[in-house]
Every structure is written in C-alpha cells, then in structure tokens.
Amino acid sequence: MSINVKNNVFWVGKIDWELRKFHGDEYSTHRGSTYNSYLIKEEKTAIFDTVWAPFAEEYVRNLTKEIELNNIDYVIAPHAEIDHSGALPLLMSHIPDTPIYCTKNGVKSLKGHYHQDWNFNVVKTGDRLSLGQKELIFVEAPMLHWPDSMFCYLTGDNILFSNDAFGQHYASEYMFNDLVDQNELFNECIKYYANILTPFSPMVIKKIKEVLSFNLPLDIICTSHGIIWRDKPEQIVEKYLNWADNYQENQITIVYDTMWNGTRVMAEKIASGISDSDKEVTVKLFNLAKTDKNDVITEIFKSKAILVGSPTINKGILVSVAGILEEIKGLKFKNKKAAAFGCYGWSGESTKIISENLESAGFELVDNGIRVMWNPDNESITKCIEYGKKLAD
Ligand code: FEO
C-alpha cells in the first residue's frame, strides 16, 4: 500500500496496529504506531527511511510494487535507530551499491548496528542533493533525539521530513492530521514529547529557530511516526516551542505506591487539602503499581508540582516508586516543585530517600515532606489535609 503525500511523494511505510510496547518494554503504545518511509519519484528517485526489522520483507515486497528497486538513486537514512533502519539490510541486499546519505554520526550508528560497508555519503546542514527540478536540503539535528538525527527539506513541494520530531505513536488508516481525532492525536503528541524529547528541550528550541531562520515555505511535515501534518503544520511546531519552554499546566500530580493503604490514604487526604485550598488547580492521583508509567510521566510533564509517596520497606522505598524516580531523573524536568510523603512502621526513611531523589532530578523541594507512623489516625489525616492546603497556598 502506498499513499500519495503530494505530487511525486509517496508514503510507503507500515502501520503497526498491534504494537503495544516500543523501545523494548519502555514505551507504551496504546494506539499502535507507524513506521513512515517515503518514496520521492522525481527525475531522480530517493527513498527516505525504511521500517522496523520485523516488517522488512513486507516493506521491500510492497516497495517493489511501487518501483523497480534498481531505479532507486538515493537512500536517505536520517536516523539509525532500528525502527527506522531495520529494513535497510534487506533493501541494501538488493541494491548494494546505491548511495546512502546520512550524517557523520549516522555512518557510525549504521555501521554499529549492521556492520556493513555500504556506500555512505556524509552530509551536513545546508548540503543539497538534486532530484532534478527539486532538491533535498539536509539539516543535521543532533540529539533530536540521537547524535545521528537529521531533517530533510524538499524544495518545490515545501515538505519537511522531520524524522522522529513532531511524531506520535499513533496508528491510523487516515495518515493525515486533518483526518484523525484531534484529542487522540494531541494526547499521543504530548506523551511522545514528554517521554522522549523532554531532556533535549534546549536543542528543540534552538533547532526549530534555526530551521525557521531559513525562511523556507512549509506546506507539509512528514514525520517518521504517526500522521503527516498537512493541515497547518505550524501548529505542531508551535506546540513544540511551548512544550520545550519549561511547560506546565495548572496541575498537581500525586504519585505513590502503597502496601496496606496507609500511603494511599495520605495521598487522598493531601489531594483533598489541595482542592480545599485551590478550586482552580487540577489534582490527579496515580498508584504507580497500577498505572502505565509513560502515562504517569505525561502527567508529570503537565504538572507545576508533584508529590511522590511510598511507605518505608527494608529502610528503602517500593520498587515502582524507585522506578519512576529513576526515569524522571533522566528526563531532566525543569521548573517544577515537589515533595515526598509516606507511611512507616519503625525506621521511616522513605520521605528522605524520595526527597533526595527528587532534588537530584532537578525538582525544587517544597519542604522535607510528610510522614505518618503506622496507619493514619484522625490526627494524621488532619495533618495530611493541612499539608495539602499549605502546599496549595
Ligand atoms: Fe523512531 Fe529514534 O526512533
């Protein structure tokens, strides 16, 4: 199956409806994903990206229905991660001498993955490749989100091939932003940004400003995952500039795990104190042991403050809480406040451990947190409510 994007540009990728986990088990994909490969058939023919390895045979088989493989003049490999390059070895086995255009780091990562000495052609920002009447202009985009990442711009059709940027893990038969459910689409976009791009936000802003400074007309953004932005493509660019700029909504998120419900009760009472004091703020609670971690991270991304709770166990904290703390440390959230809470029976280290982790992850601690010995009694419940009020104030 191919889909005409514009004039001689065709989508020749794979819609993966079944995918529920990406990056191993690291990223939940509730709505599947797509691996977008594009075929450009001008006087010269270029293929942009491939698909993930399990679909390599299907991809190459479908591609042969669109073009005689020997007629492909250029292979563009903007990113070596295997959801993009997985079908490259099979494709290249049919056309081993065809030049591959990628960044200097792209050569390293492609060689690192496949140990092949393909006909690599290194490109850098501003380099052009003629397809006849139209040209591809290359723009390096290091750390968006790998060192090898690269954008390409097709003159004449005014298409930006943005690779992972502006994408979403979102399977749809419709493939264009104006044809899909907007809530689903933007939920997947913000989840993708929060979980993958947050640490690279300074580079996101810099790269977008650089690309905008070229003053190139922009009609379409062809991402490597999810739908193609053909209706007001600038809307996702504006979202990225907003999300990259220490984004927050008027939301406080409480995440916790619990053994005998003491820490859960604390979470709920703190939440009710926050709501009592501030009727405007959105308060959300998530039990980390029962909630998808990528959805939790998306909510943390949207928050101005978070509370993290765990009972003390073996002088430590519960594994689900330790896991999310490790994750948010790497994501480098900025401009967010935080506090810890938890029940304990005798030693009671959990709030201290959580606070230290939050601080080292870059959160601004509100205080030393709140802890309750044994199960919360009426006095402790009142303290939790008051704590929530004080926090909201
Ligand atoms: Fe879509 Fe960085 O892989």
Side-chain angles (χ1 to χ4, degrees):
M1 178 180 97
S2 73
I3 297 170
N4 184 227
V5 176
K6 183 177 180 182
N7 296 328
N8 298 319
V9 179
F10 298 87
W11 176 93
V12 288
K14 171 68 187 173
I15 301 173
D16 188 352
W17 287 97
E18 280 193 359
L19 191 77
R20 288 296 175 267
K21 293 284 181 181
F22 186 77
H23 284 157
D25 276 349
E26 282 308 301
Y27 188 109
S28 60
T29 48
H30 306 315
R31 296 187 177 94
S33 191
T34 74
Y35 316 107
N36 297 343
S37 173
Y38 298 97
L39 178 63
I40 309 170
K41 293 201 269 192
E42 294 293 326
E43 288 95 320
K44 294 286 187 182
T45 297
I47 189 86
F48 189 95
D49 246 332
T50 67
V51 300
W52 189 30
F55 301 106
E57 285 190 16
E58 181 183 337
Y59 168 75
V60 171
R61 193 168 57 243
N62 286 342
L63 195 56
T64 57
K65 293 176 192 158
E66 303 297 326
I67 188 163
E68 162 63 41
L69 296 183
N70 285 314
N71 290 339
I72 295 174
D73 296 294
Y74 312 120
V75 173
I76 316 296
H79 180 31
E81 198 165 6
I82 59 162
D83 51 316
H84 302 249
S85 67
L88 204 53
L90 183 60
L91 177 64
M92 297 312 292
S93 72
H94 292 279
I95 48 170
D97 299 324
T98 304
I100 296 179
Y101 289 78
C102 61
T103 62
K104 193 173 167 189
N105 282 323
V107 177
K108 284 186 199 164
S109 18
L110 285 168
K111 282 190 175 178
H113 277 88
Y114 303 112
H115 316 292
Q116 298 277 338
D117 221 2
W118 290 317
N119 178 10
F120 291 110
N121 286 254
V122 170
V123 291
K124 45 190 193 325
T125 296
D127 287 354
R128 290 167 179 254
L129 180 64
S130 174
L131 302 178
Q133 297 281 314
K134 299 170 186 170
E135 283 182 316
L136 281 173
I137 304 175
F138 299 101
V139 181
E140 294 166 277
M143 301 320 294
L144 292 177
H145 65 128
W146 271 24
D148 63 0
S149 300
M150 173 172 81
F151 299 165
C152 288
Y153 180 82
L154 178 62
T155 63
D157 290 328
N158 306 334
I159 297 177
L160 178 69
F161 296 91
S162 62
N163 193 245
D164 278 327
F166 312 125
Q168 341 82 43
H169 289 301
Y170 183 31
S172 168
E173 282 294 326
Y174 300 110
M175 288 306 300
F176 293 99
N177 69 309
D178 50 310
L179 301 182
V180 300
D181 182 294
Q182 298 300 292
N183 283 333
E184 285 186 358
L185 171 60
F186 281 97
N187 282 339
E188 292 303 334
C189 286
I190 196 169
K191 175 178 177 181
Y192 188 94
Y193 191 95
N195 281 272
I196 297 176
L197 287 160
T198 299
F200 311 113
S201 287
M203 281 87 104
V204 168
I205 294 175
K206 208 167 148 209
K207 186 51 60 180
I208 289 177
K209 287 189 172 164
E210 181 192 329
V211 173
L212 292 177
S213 77
F214 299 154
N215 284 320
L216 297 166
L218 181 64
D219 291 347
I220 296 177
I221 296 177
C222 286
T223 68
S224 289
H225 299 294
I227 55 76
I228 294 160
W229 299 92
R230 70 176 178 188
D231 177 43
K232 304 184 192 73
E234 63 281 1
Q235 63 183 302
I236 189 61
V237 178
E238 284 158 15
K239 286 279 183 204
Y240 264 48
L241 286 171
N242 191 14
W243 292 336
D245 187 17
N246 298 331
Y247 182 75
Q248 56 174 239
E249 297 176 13
N250 189 19
Q251 176 173 327
I252 297 175
T253 301
I254 303 178
V255 298
Y256 64 93
D257 196 355
T258 192
M259 293 168 75
W260 294 111
N261 282 334
T263 302
R264 177 179 66 78
V265 169
M266 289 185 74
E268 291 175 2
K269 297 305 169 189
I270 294 169
S272 97
I274 294 170
S275 302
D276 284 350
S277 182
D278 185 343
K279 304 287 182 219
E280 303 293 320
V281 70
T282 299
V283 185
K284 294 187 184 175
L285 282 79
F286 298 99
N287 181 323
L288 292 166
K290 299 177 193 290
T291 316
D292 179 276
K293 82 175 164 69
N294 304 108
D295 292 341
V296 168
I297 284 166
T298 308
E299 296 300 333
I300 292 174
F301 177 72
K302 286 153 59 179
S303 300
K304 61 182 182 181
I306 64 167
L307 287 110
V308 181
S310 171
T312 298
I313 178 167
N314 299 332
K315 298 186 177 178
I317 57 176
L318 292 175
V319 167
S320 61
V321 181
I324 208 82
L325 289 170
E326 177 64 18
E327 188 105 9
I328 61 179
K329 186 167 74 180
L331 288 169
K332 297 187 169 55
F333 289 113
K334 300 228 166 35
N335 195 31
K336 296 189 192 298
K337 296 193 164 111
F341 64 97
C343 279
Y344 68 105
W346 46 101
S347 60
E349 291 89 345
S350 71
T351 49
K352 182 166 182 286
I353 293 168
I354 292 169
S355 296
E356 286 169 357
N357 275 275
L358 286 168
E359 195 164 34
S360 74
F363 287 77
E364 182 192 333
L365 286 182
V366 176
D367 56 23
N368 292 327
I370 177 169
R371 59 182 197 156
V372 166
M373 196 170 191
W374 303 118
N375 225 14
D377 57 9
N378 285 341
E379 188 185 338
S380 304
I381 284 173
T382 304
K383 272 190 190 159
C384 288
I385 293 171
E386 290 307 315
Y387 184 79
K389 284 183 184 168
K390 195 182 90 190
L391 193 102
D393 289 343

